[in-house]
Amino acid sequence: MADSVVAEDQKFSLKEVLDTFKLCLTENKEVYLEHYVAGWRGLVKFLNSLGSVFGFISKDAVNKIKILVGYLEGDNGSQYVTIQSMMKYELDSGLVDLTKRGNHPESGCRTLLRLHRALRWLELFLERLRTSSEDSKTSVMCADAYNESLAQHHPWVIRKAAGMAFCMLPGRLAFLEVMNVGTPEQVVAMLGEALPLISEVYQITEELYAQNNMLDLP
């Protein structure tokens, strides 16, 4: 019985992620860190539901989530309400290693940047999944999305391992079932609603890092 409760709790829900990303933006288009982290918790469930294939990204994401939650719940939590306020606070306080990894390897800015890059990969992959045909190969879609995003930030060994992992991915229908939405048509419709939200959060964050010359934090 306990196992089934855990399994239910760990089940990925596309609607849950959609609802979370709907809450991410303030009226002024700032990004609430709490909801961003919650959205990532849902995406980790998605990665885990596909087995060990995405373990190398999932484990890293879980670690990054813990670091950010620590800041949110810490003494300076009020500075971490939005990504914008976090960035201003850490830059003003000299808490970001801008040129080389030094005293702040787990700064909020650096930690979030790693999740931000992975979010782009998932966004690209899910968009391909949404627009693909029944016989499209998920391994190709995933590899293409990875090569357009995360690959440029990974060393050769990880890129090689990722390429091998993608070859083991289930078919498109299996992916759509994992979403726990309903028919393939319903999944595609909900992806069509969710992806623009994820994309907007990604673009706002990307522009923030670019404005502060932090897209390549070591």
Side-chain angles (χ1 to χ4, degrees), residues 107-143:
S107 65
C109 287
R110 182 184 184 277
T111 300
L112 185 87
L113 179 60
R114 270 56 187 175
L115 287 177
H116 172 69
R117 290 168 177 172
L119 186 65
R120 178 61 174 161
W121 162 62
L122 281 172
E123 179 201 337
L124 290 171
F125 175 47
L126 291 173
E127 177 59 22
R128 282 173 165 83
L129 201 62
R130 183 184 76 83
T131 57
S132 59
S133 58
E134 279 184 39
D135 56 354
S136 297
K137 288 186 180 291
T138 56
S139 56
V140 174
M141 289 187 266
C142 200

Side-chain angles (χ1 to χ4, degrees), residues 41-158:
R41 281 203 185 99
L43 292 171
V44 164
K45 287 183 186 178
F46 171 60
L47 295 172
N48 289 340
S49 68
L50 299 165
S52 59
V53 174
F54 291 122
F56 72 104
I57 292 175
S58 175
K59 284 174 191 166
D60 189 50
V62 168
N63 181 44
K64 299 290 187 280
I65 287 168
K66 282 180 184 170
I67 293 170
L68 292 174
V69 168
Y71 286 124
L72 280 165
E73 295 177 352
D75 294 341
N76 295 310
S78 61
Q79 306 288 348
Y80 288 82
V81 173
T82 66
I83 292 176
Q84 285 82 350
S85 65
M86 173 189 78
M87 220 171 255
K88 184 177 188 313
Y89 167 68
E90 289 197 344
L91 285 170
D92 288 351
S93 307
L95 297 173
V96 187
D97 297 324
L98 295 171
T99 54
K100 62 180 181 179
R101 289 188 69 174
N103 299 321
H104 310 290
E106 293 190 346
S107 65
C109 287
R110 182 184 184 277
T111 300
L112 185 87
L113 179 60
R114 270 56 187 175
L115 287 177
H116 172 69
R117 290 168 177 172
L119 186 65
R120 178 61 174 161
W121 162 62
L122 281 172
E123 179 201 337
L124 290 171
F125 175 47
L126 291 173
E127 177 59 22
R128 282 173 165 83
L129 201 62
R130 183 184 76 83
T131 57
S132 59
S133 58
E134 279 184 39
D135 56 354
S136 297
K137 288 186 180 291
T138 56
S139 56
V140 174
M141 289 187 266
C142 200
D144 287 348
Y146 176 76
N147 289 332
E148 274 183 46
S149 52
L150 267 182
Q152 60 193 297
H153 305 292
H154 284 166
W156 180 86
V157 175
I158 292 181

